[in-house]
Amino acid sequence: MNKTVNINLAGIFFHIDEDAYLKLQGYLTAIKNSFANTEGSAEIIADIETRISELFNERLKNERQVIGLKEVEEVIAIMGQPEDYLVDDDIFEDEPRFNSSKKSTLNKKLFRDIDNSYISGVSSGFAHYLGIDPIWMRLLWVLLVMMSFGTFVVIYILFWILIPAAKTTAEKIMMTGEPVNINNIEKQIKDSFETVSGVAKNVSKSVSDTAKKHGGAVKKTSKNFFDTIADFIMVVVRIFSKFIGIIIIVFSAVILISLILGLFSVGFKNILNIPGLDYVYAFNAGNTPIWLASLLVFFTVGIPVFFLFYLGLKIFVNNLKSIGKIAKLTLLGLWLCAIVGIVIVSVREVSEHSISESVIDKHVLNVTSKDTLRIDIRNNDLYRNHDYNGGFKIANHHDDLKGLYVRNVRIVIKSTKDSLVTVNVEKTADGSSYQKAINYANNIKYDFDFKHQKLMLDSYLYTDVENKFRNQKVTVFVYIPEGVIVNCSESTRFYYTYPSIIENKQTNHYVKIIKDDVLCLDCDDDFKVEVKTPKVKIDEDGVEINGDEGSLKIDKNGIRAESKEVKVRINSDGIDIQSKEN
């Protein structure tokens, strides 16, 4: 049974067994002796202890676990022995402070470089991670902000919040992609002291360069074939995962920016005068404040997209800070509230269309069975005759009030035994109750003119935009006495609906109204087919095709086909096939 010891390493308490404690104590003593006469030795030793405590924390599965000899030896192997990493002052040459050498991002961790920052260090941190100069990253951020009309500032703030700052020496070393060992910690501390004293020295050379200068002080290890294959596969997997992370980040960032633009567009609609919002208002039958609906959509869609963005960052950045349990629960609560709000708004909107009611305006026209009635669609600037039913638009009425013009007009022609023509205008609208639906139907305005035996119908209905779009519809029932001759212009072709006795094909013809039907007075019922192909004849007798190699005839007597070699006859008697002899 081994004795355990409680130690305080860089402000963190660990339980360590006695053998491991003795080895760790000897290791730290050797390090202190090695740096006894080195400038900044206290800071170097403190950072080394901090890095050792971080490595111990990575290996602990729970707080009660005891650090054993195995864990201590693993940490020593990572940190290295003091005698293996003796750094001379000669390696610190005058170079620019920022090292823009392109190192592999697979060994780097993304931090905010607060030592080289203008605002938060996000740009310089990405510059370290990508191996480029910070000036290019800063220019890229400026371009992104300008191209997104300032909304990319939100993405920058998210990076500022989620990416940790490189505060400790170990974090600053990890930011450059170098291993955090005694040699690099000492180099970083020396660089800090020389910067304070005004000497700009480059301390960011790779471990491979240091190893070459010290003549192979670090032992090289060889790998067998299978280890190499395994490492290669892991590198491919890590590169692929980074690529997936970038795709997720870009995709979610585009959606977030779009949502933010939409939210601000609604908020400043009176200032920006954004087109299309009038139609949103017209379809908002439930009278839900547009800013509230936009906010609910923003939270409903934006919060999941934010977590998708956070997932992409987690894949791309291994050391990403957690947003914390409180923030996660708060966002979850907001999302649930937004979902409930969307459901309430949707139910309210559906209820406004739950009931449909109609009102009828009746008009009697002085047209008798001895007259000829012409029906036409009135031409206007809002809707031309080639526009079909169902269209709508918002425009200013003659009194400068905005109105909703709906192209949802149908015509039904029916016969009647009455002596005069009757026009019934049926106006239909939706509402949340019968009375409201009737009120909205009464608010529909539809006009027509009747002069000189000519009925001119409007192609649209009108209602104030305050009434909203409620599936408003007008059906014009024209009851015509039997015996009246009617001529419907071409403009009415697409307006007829069941059970009209006049159909599309009867437009531009004179028809006589009979009981529940019409009799066309100028329709040509002869069978006429115009065929411009030579040797082809199609008429009331049948079809005849003559060619150089034979002929085909189809008529009431059957089918006859003939060529130089064969004759075929098909009729009610059967099939007769005869071959010709040469």
Side-chain angles (χ1 to χ4, degrees):
M1 183 174 64
N2 293 333
K3 183 190 296 185
T4 60
V5 180
N6 294 329
I7 63 172
N8 181 350
L9 191 63
I12 303 176
F13 288 93
F14 296 97
H15 303 289
I16 184 170
D17 67 35
E18 189 174 18
D19 293 340
Y21 170 73
L22 293 174
K23 182 151 190 156
L24 179 62
Q25 186 180 43
Y27 179 69
L28 293 175
T29 301
I31 290 175
K32 291 177 182 178
N33 293 334
S34 176
F35 294 111
N37 299 321
T38 303
E39 183 181 14
S41 60
E43 287 78 6
I44 294 174
I45 293 169
D47 282 323
I48 290 173
E49 290 181 353
T50 300
R51 180 55 180 162
I52 291 173
S53 67
E54 291 174 355
L55 294 173
F56 280 159
N57 266 327
E58 292 175 3
R59 284 157 177 76
L60 291 179
K61 297 180 180 179
N62 56 69
E63 296 179 354
R64 297 184 178 181
Q65 183 177 340
V66 177
I67 301 291
L69 193 60
K70 177 184 176 183
E71 286 78 15
V72 172
E73 290 176 347
E74 289 177 355
V75 170
I76 292 175
I78 293 173
M79 297 297 295
Q81 296 293 341
E83 59 269 19
D84 293 334
Y85 294 95
L86 296 177
V87 182
D88 298 331
D89 290 341
D90 294 339
I91 70 171
F92 297 98
E93 301 172 356
D94 293 334
E95 294 179 1
R97 175 171 177 163
F98 186 87
N99 186 0
S100 60
S101 61
K102 295 183 179 180
K103 301 179 182 179
S104 174
T105 60
L106 297 177
N107 297 321
K108 296 180 182 180
K109 290 189 177 181
L110 183 59
F111 290 92
R112 288 186 291 111
D113 186 6
I114 55 179
D115 293 335
N116 296 292
S117 65
Y118 281 106
I119 300 176
S120 65
V122 171
S123 296
S124 53
F126 269 107
H128 279 294
Y129 193 78
L130 299 176
I132 60 176
D133 196 276
I135 187 65
W136 300 114
M137 283 304 304
R138 293 185 177 111
L139 287 175
L140 177 61
W141 276 111
V142 172
L143 289 175
L144 290 173
V145 169
M146 294 174 63
M147 292 172 62
S148 63
F149 301 100
T151 55
F152 225 89
V153 173
V154 178
I155 305 299
Y156 183 89
I157 293 173
L158 289 176
F159 280 127
W160 189 349
I161 295 172
L162 297 174
I163 299 176
K167 297 179 180 179
T168 66
T169 303
E171 291 171 343
K172 294 175 182 179
I173 294 173
M174 285 188 287
M175 183 171 59
T176 64
E178 297 179 352
V180 185
N181 51 34
I182 296 174
N183 175 57
N184 290 325
I185 290 176
E186 182 186 6
K187 287 164 60 180
Q188 186 69 29
I189 296 295
K190 275 180 170 282
D191 180 62
S192 299
F193 272 91
E194 291 185 357
T195 301
V196 172
S197 63
V199 181
K201 296 182 178 180
N202 181 12
V203 293
S204 59
K205 289 189 177 181
S206 63
V207 174
S208 59
D209 293 338
T210 305
K212 289 179 182 179
K213 298 197 78 170
H214 288 286
V218 181
K219 297 180 179 179
K220 296 182 179 179
T221 58
S222 60
K223 296 182 179 180
N224 58 34
F225 175 76
F226 295 103
D227 289 337
T228 304
I229 293 296
D231 288 345
F232 175 76
I233 293 174
M234 289 303 299
V235 169
V236 172
V237 169
R238 291 172 68 182
I239 293 175
F240 181 74
S241 65
K242 299 289 186 184
F243 178 71
I244 294 296
I246 292 173
I247 292 177
I248 293 175
I249 290 171
V250 172
F251 174 75
S252 54
V254 169
I255 296 178
L256 284 174
I257 291 172
S258 301
L259 289 171
I260 293 169
L261 284 173
L263 182 64
F264 278 94
S265 298
V266 172
F268 296 101
K269 64 186 178 80
N270 293 329
I271 300 175
L272 301 177
N273 194 22
I274 298 173
L277 288 181
D278 288 339
Y279 290 89
V280 175
Y281 176 80
F283 276 95
N284 183 19
N287 285 321
T288 303
I290 295 179
W291 66 266
L292 177 60
S294 180
L295 195 64
L296 291 175
V297 172
F298 177 78
F299 284 131
T300 302
V301 180
I303 291 176
V305 172
F306 168 77
F307 279 106
L308 185 65
F309 179 79
Y310 182 72
L311 173 63
L313 284 178
K314 288 284 287 184
I315 295 173
F316 188 69
V317 182
N318 296 329
N319 58 310
L320 191 69
K321 287 195 303 185
S322 173
I323 62 175
K325 185 178 292 186
I326 296 176
K328 291 178 181 177
L329 292 176
T330 302
L331 290 175
L332 177 62
L334 282 173
W335 184 73
L336 292 175
C337 291
I339 290 292
V340 172
I342 288 289
V343 171
I344 294 174
V345 169
S346 300
V347 171
R348 186 177 178 181
E349 189 68 26
V350 170
S351 68
E352 293 293 329
H353 297 271
S354 59
I355 296 174
S356 181
E357 277 296 319
S358 301
V359 295
I360 298 177
D361 295 336
K362 295 183 178 181
H363 308 270
V364 178
L365 307 182
N366 188 20
V367 178
T368 66
S369 59
K370 298 180 181 181
D371 297 322
T372 298
L373 176 66
R374 296 184 61 191
I375 301 177
D376 200 353
I377 297 296
R378 182 158 42 194
N379 198 2
N380 55 79
D381 294 332
L382 288 172
Y383 289 112
R384 297 297 178 182
N385 290 334
H386 62 270
D387 293 330
Y388 297 110
N389 288 273
F392 63 93
K393 68 185 299 184
I394 295 175
N396 288 335
H397 199 45
H398 56 79
D399 52 2
D400 291 333
L401 295 176
K402 283 188 177 180
L404 187 63
Y405 295 83
V406 183
R407 184 72 176 271
N408 196 358
V409 176
R410 293 293 184 179
I411 302 174
V412 175
I413 308 292
K414 302 190 74 175
S415 64
T416 180
K417 294 185 179 296
D418 295 339
S419 59
L420 297 176
V421 172
T422 302
V423 177
N424 291 350
V425 179
E426 183 183 73
K427 299 182 287 187
T428 307
D430 296 340
S432 59
S433 66
Y434 290 102
Q435 188 57 49
K436 288 183 177 180
I438 290 174
N439 291 338
Y440 289 125
N442 277 319
N443 289 333
I444 295 174
K445 298 177 182 178
Y446 181 79
D447 295 326
F448 66 88
D449 287 334
F450 178 69
K451 293 180 180 179
H452 308 297
Q453 306 300 309
K454 185 175 184 180
L455 179 62
M456 297 290 296
L457 302 174
D458 273 351
S459 61
Y460 63 91
L461 62 92
Y462 167 82
T463 187
D464 291 338
V465 74
E466 297 296 331
N467 295 320
K468 307 301 180 64
F469 183 81
R470 298 178 180 274
N471 292 324
Q472 287 91 341
K473 179 176 67 173
V474 165
T475 304
V476 181
F477 291 88
V478 184
Y479 295 91
I480 304 177
E482 295 177 10
V484 173
I485 297 174
V486 180
N487 175 261
C488 298
S489 70
E490 181 70 22
S491 62
T492 64
R493 174 179 293 272
F494 299 104
Y495 289 85
Y496 297 110
T497 186
Y498 180 83
S500 177
I501 59 176
I502 293 181
E503 300 176 352
N504 299 345
K505 64 182 180 180
Q506 292 161 336
T507 57
N508 270 344
H509 289 288
Y510 286 91
V511 297
K512 185 176 183 178
I513 302 298
I514 59 178
K515 183 180 179 181
D516 296 329
D517 203 352
V518 294
L519 178 64
C520 187
L521 302 179
D522 60 347
C523 296
D524 189 356
D525 295 330
D526 295 338
F527 181 85
K528 290 183 179 180
V529 179
E530 183 179 358
V531 180
K532 296 182 179 180
T533 304
K535 299 182 181 181
V536 176
K537 180 182 178 182
I538 301 176
D539 54 23
E540 64 274 7
D541 296 329
V543 178
E544 184 176 353
I545 302 174
N546 297 303
D548 296 336
E549 301 296 328
S551 64
L552 172 67
K553 188 171 184 178
I554 303 174
D555 55 21
K556 61 182 179 179
N557 297 320
I559 301 174
R560 295 186 300 279
E562 184 176 350
S563 67
K564 293 181 180 179
E565 291 81 14
V566 180
K567 280 185 177 182
V568 179
R569 181 187 295 263
I570 303 174
N571 53 29
S572 58
D573 297 330
I575 301 175
D576 182 19
I577 302 176
Q578 299 178 3
S579 62
K580 296 181 179 180
E581 296 181 357
N582 294 330

